[in-house]
Structures are given as C-alpha cells and as structure tokens.
Amino acid sequence: MIFGMFRKSGGGGRDDDDDDEEIELVSFLGALNGKSADLAANGRLAQAGLIPAKELVTDAITRRAEMVRVEPKGERASVTMMVDGVAYAGSRLSKQQALAITGMLKLLGGMDAKLRGRAQSGGLKADLEGIPYEVLIDVTPLPEGAERLVVRLRNLKIKLDTPDDLAYSQYLKTKIRELTSRRRGLLLVVGPPNSGTTTTLFGVLRGIDVYLFSIFSIANLGTRDVYNINKFEVNEGDDLEASIMRMKRAEADVILVDPVQDAETARTLLEASEEVCLLAEMAAKDSVAAVGQLMQWTGDPKLVAKGLDGVFSQKLIRLLCTDCREAFRPNPKLLEKVGLPPETKVLYRKGEPAVDEKTGEEDPPCKKCNGVGYYGRVAMIELLTLSDELRKLISSGNATPEQIRSQARNDGMLTFQKDGLRLVAEGKTSLEELQRVFKAT
C-alpha cells in the first residue's frame, strides 16, 4: 500500500505509530455524469491504480482535506492536501504510481483515461463508512506527458446552505432581505477561485424569504438541493435576455443566473435589473474589484451605477476547535488596539496540550482536531451596497478603487475586519487566525 494504515484524524498531520486505527477504504459509486467505467477493458489500469486511488481519497477524507493535489516532479510526484485552507505535505509517489492514480480517477470520473495533452474535468460519487461524498476531479496536462491531478472533496452530510449554517450576522441577514425586497438590481457574490464563493451565493439565496418572493433559477445548481426555487426551463435558441424576459412575465421577483464571466453577460444583467432582482457570482478579488471589472467590461459607468445594488465578498477563516480552545481575559489595551468593544470579557485562542507535572510529557493531542487547534472554516463577509453618493461617484467614470472603498466605508460598509472581529468576539475564531488570514491576502 502506498499510504499504509489509515488513522482517523481531525487535522492535517497524521501520526504513523503503532496505535493507528485501520479503516475500510472508500467506495466509488459511479461517475457524476452517469458514464460507466469499464474496468474489464482497462484491467491493467485497474490493477495498478484502483487500490492506490482509493487509498489517496480515503487518506484525504480522514484528514478532512477539501482538496488534494498530485504534482509530478521528474520521476517522483508530491502530494499536497489542503485542510481548512492550510497546506500539508502528503506522501511522495513514483511517477508510475501518480500516472496510475490519475488514470484510474479519470476513468471512474467519466473522463477519457487514455487522453492526455488536454485538460479534463469530471467527478464521482463516493462513500466512506456510510457518509456520502462528492469527488470532483480536474486533470491538467504538463510537459513530457505528465498530468497534474486535483481532487476536491465535499461531505454531502455537512449542510452549509442557510445563513445560520454559515454563521451570518443578524445585520447581514437583514441586509440580504432588504436588498432582495426591492425586486430590482443586480446582486453579485464575488471572490477568487476556490474561496467559497458558490457556498456564499447559496447562503444569500437561502436568506431570501421564499414565502414573500418568487424565486426562479436558470443556473446550474449541481448537486445542491435548493427548496422552493422554480427551476426554469430555457427554450432552445433563447439567449440570456430572452430567458430573463420570460421569467419576468412569469412574475419572478428574484432570478439566480450562472456566473458572470464576460462583458456581454454583465451588460445583459445590468440592463435587465431595472425590473427584477438578479443574483449571480463572479470571479474578483473583492467587492471593489468587482465594480471595476464591471465598468471595464461594459465601458459604461452609469449603467453599472444604475443597475448594481450590492456586492458580497468573502474570505475563509478557520474556526477554533470547540473541544480544546482556551478562554482568556483580554487586556483592555488589546481590545482598544484591535477595535473590540471595551466590555468584551472573554476571548478564545488555540488550545495547547497540557503537560504532566510528574513526567514533563505533553498530554495526547485533542482527538477532534488532532492538535491543530482549528476545525472547519467559516466566511468573513464584506458587503458593498450602493448609496446615492456612491452611485454618483461611480457614474463619474473617474473614481479610483481607493475612492470607491473610502466612500463605501463612509456609508457604513460591512468590511472583512468588522465581520472578522465579530467572529473573534463570539469565540468562533482567534485574533491570531484573523491576523494570519489578512497577512496571506
């Protein structure tokens, strides 16, 4: 076996001691696209790659990894696992082992296992100890016939759908309802790739009162279950504008659309936003960068200022492990320095292993997080809403990103810092983790 015995672990590290608990390997239950994998016709590949592929995915799941990257480097390949957004080194593979695992996952994920030299994406359903997982697979060609493998994992039993699931503040939940109650305007959820943008988008969607507003969707919802949403059938030959017009005639109040990726889509949505609320995601560093991207695409600052109503952006931050976090009474000077209310009585930080006074040895690490101190992540949210002053500034066409951000802050913008400090004050994360996230971006 490549990865040896597996040990249930809460963090990124793993101890290879004699107490490791062997568990069953993950079961692969078929490609997401429904394409069957012909193992008989690919016997050599299955013999070389099936068990190692199962070991790789099982190891990732037991470490709670959200992503695994297998990167060929000469005659070897390195494995990196991302656990709560932090990279941990995995095992090293030979070039042949990496090729076998990649080919096997391509076959199981509904892709062409023999095709190289072209990027492919797919996915498969999996199960480990009765827990269902979605395994998304991306393969990118590299020089000399090598391929980079990226595997993303999602535990389907963990529901991060509603604003409460995502730990949204009461202020944010109120703003979502205010913005969508206007039944007009474009609302964007933005962020860099793999930053949780889609999860935030669905959190905003679930924050809308479905009993007061009629919500339609022409977006690809993937495997997500969204209740009380009208899934709209697009007529063959209809473009985005025609589909929006049909939904407006069907008395849609809010429409969820696919990600905004080009100038044509951006202009269509902004022009259609006068009579219906449109919700979409878009790749951008933050909310101010998204405004700039819209102005660049459309070449029409006045259209952006008129049609855009709000931009949500997020940064993911690790949650303190509730089994081992440590409470402490903060110094008043610290509270003043970081901007927390002076009446804050207690904060929390990462727990440290206790030391046995007799032997001087550390106690075993926390079983839940394996001594990492953090378990899971949550999003800090930034929300830019367009006041009359900000619309005028954007309409001028001369506003710099700094001027837009300054005006938004003057308008009381919810910033990453404000929302991050809220999470610190609520004991969900630590000041050290907040500092780490801001340093990394």
Side-chain angles (χ1 to χ4, degrees):
M1 290 173 62
I2 297 173
F3 301 97
M5 307 281 277
F6 297 109
R7 182 170 183 260
K8 292 182 181 179
S9 167
R14 193 185 73 201
D15 300 323
D16 294 322
D17 54 29
D18 294 334
D19 296 327
D20 283 350
E21 176 187 351
E22 186 175 7
I23 64 172
E24 63 183 273
L25 294 177
V26 67
S27 297
F28 294 140
L29 306 177
L32 294 177
N33 64 8
K35 187 174 180 179
S36 298
D38 191 343
L39 297 183
N42 294 272
R44 291 182 63 184
L45 175 60
Q47 184 176 12
L50 181 57
I51 296 301
K54 285 190 171 190
E55 291 174 350
L56 175 71
V57 174
T58 303
D59 197 27
I61 290 174
T62 56
R63 295 193 192 201
R64 297 189 304 105
E66 64 266 13
M67 189 270 282
V68 183
R69 183 175 65 248
V70 179
E71 186 85 22
K73 296 180 179 180
E75 294 303 310
R76 308 289 292 177
S78 63
V79 178
T80 302
M81 297 194 181
M82 300 296 293
V83 182
D84 295 334
V86 177
Y88 295 90
S91 301
R92 287 189 174 274
L93 308 174
S94 69
K95 180 179 179 180
Q96 290 73 23
Q97 289 170 330
L99 286 171
I101 290 172
T102 301
M104 193 70 242
L105 289 176
K106 284 163 65 176
L107 179 65
L108 294 169
M111 294 173 274
D112 186 341
K114 298 178 181 179
L115 177 64
R116 295 187 189 177
R118 193 172 73 192
Q120 294 190 76
S121 296
L124 56 108
K125 294 173 284 188
D127 181 280
L128 181 61
E129 297 185 324
I131 299 175
Y133 291 86
E134 180 182 76
V135 182
L136 300 180
I137 303 159
D138 291 291
V139 179
T140 306
L142 298 174
E144 300 179 359
E147 293 179 304
R148 178 188 297 114
L149 171 68
V150 175
V151 179
R152 294 182 175 85
L153 301 143
R154 187 160 74 96
N155 182 333
L156 298 182
K157 275 201 170 182
I158 297 177
K159 299 296 183 182
L160 295 175
D161 296 327
T162 70
D164 288 336
D165 293 339
L166 298 168
Y168 287 179
S169 66
Q170 185 57 50
Y171 171 83
L172 184 60
K173 289 187 280 189
T174 299
K175 292 301 291 185
I176 290 171
R177 295 204 171 195
E178 284 181 4
L179 289 167
T180 53
S181 67
R182 300 171 187 173
R183 295 178 169 87
R184 67 160 308 280
L186 173 61
L187 300 178
L188 291 176
V189 178
V190 306
N194 305 316
S195 66
T197 308
T198 301
T199 297
T200 299
L201 173 73
F202 280 91
V204 172
L205 182 68
R206 292 292 298 275
I208 304 170
D209 191 334
V210 296
Y211 298 105
L212 291 178
F213 303 101
S214 176
I215 307 173
F216 283 68
S217 172
I218 53 172
N220 180 5
L221 301 179
T223 59
R224 293 177 184 266
D225 295 322
V226 183
Y227 306 104
N228 297 313
I229 305 294
N230 300 298
K231 295 181 181 179
F232 192 77
E233 293 295 329
V234 176
N235 288 339
E236 186 176 352
D238 278 0
D239 59 10
L240 178 59
E241 182 180 5
S243 295
I244 292 174
M245 288 298 295
R246 288 181 58 220
M247 284 183 281
K248 286 197 292 186
R249 287 196 294 269
E251 300 185 347
D253 296 316
V254 180
I255 300 174
L256 177 68
V257 300
D258 280 322
V260 185
Q261 297 178 330
D262 53 57
E264 181 181 358
T265 301
R267 178 172 285 275
T268 298
L269 296 177
L270 287 165
E271 290 175 345
S273 66
E274 285 191 47
E275 300 176 14
V276 68
C277 179
L278 295 156
L279 179 61
E281 65 178 288
M282 188 176 101
K285 178 184 177 182
D286 55 31
S287 55
V288 174
V291 174
Q293 182 65 72
L294 289 176
M295 290 194 290
Q296 180 182 339
W297 271 341
T298 63
D300 191 344
K302 291 183 179 179
L303 177 62
V304 175
K306 183 179 180 181
L308 185 65
D309 260 14
V311 186
F312 300 82
S313 183
Q314 75 289 312
K315 293 181 186 291
L316 294 174
I317 189 167
R318 292 185 297 175
L319 292 165
L320 283 165
C321 175
T322 53
D323 282 9
C324 66
R325 66 180 182 175
E326 293 180 353
F328 69 97
R329 187 176 294 278
N331 186 299
K333 290 184 178 180
L334 173 65
L335 297 176
E336 182 180 2
K337 181 179 179 180
V338 301
L340 284 168
E343 62 270 18
T344 304
K345 299 299 182 185
V346 63
L347 294 178
Y348 291 86
R349 59 192 168 207
K350 172 187 171 182
E352 298 295 339
V355 177
D356 189 297
E357 295 182 358
K358 294 182 179 180
T359 65
E361 295 181 354
E362 288 187 352
D363 288 346
C366 171
K367 290 183 178 180
K368 180 177 179 179
C369 69
N370 200 35
V372 174
Y374 296 91
Y375 191 95
R377 288 191 291 175
V378 72
M380 298 182 293
I381 303 294
E382 175 182 86
L383 173 58
L384 181 152
T385 56
L386 278 78
S387 64
D388 291 340
E389 291 77 11
L390 188 52
R391 291 187 196 277
K392 289 177 184 177
L393 183 62
I394 293 171
S395 293
S396 71
N398 301 317
T400 65
E402 292 75 18
Q403 290 172 325
I404 293 174
R405 184 171 293 280
S406 177
Q407 181 60 57
R409 285 179 171 169
N410 289 339
D411 295 336
M413 172 186 186
L414 175 63
T415 64
F416 288 129
Q417 184 179 16
K418 285 181 184 178
D419 207 36
L421 287 173
R422 172 186 67 87
L423 294 169
V424 170
E426 292 176 355
K428 291 183 171 66
T429 193
S430 67
L431 286 169
E432 292 77 13
E433 173 64 4
L434 193 63
Q435 185 179 43
R436 182 192 72 83
V437 170
F438 283 129
K439 278 186 176 181
T441 55

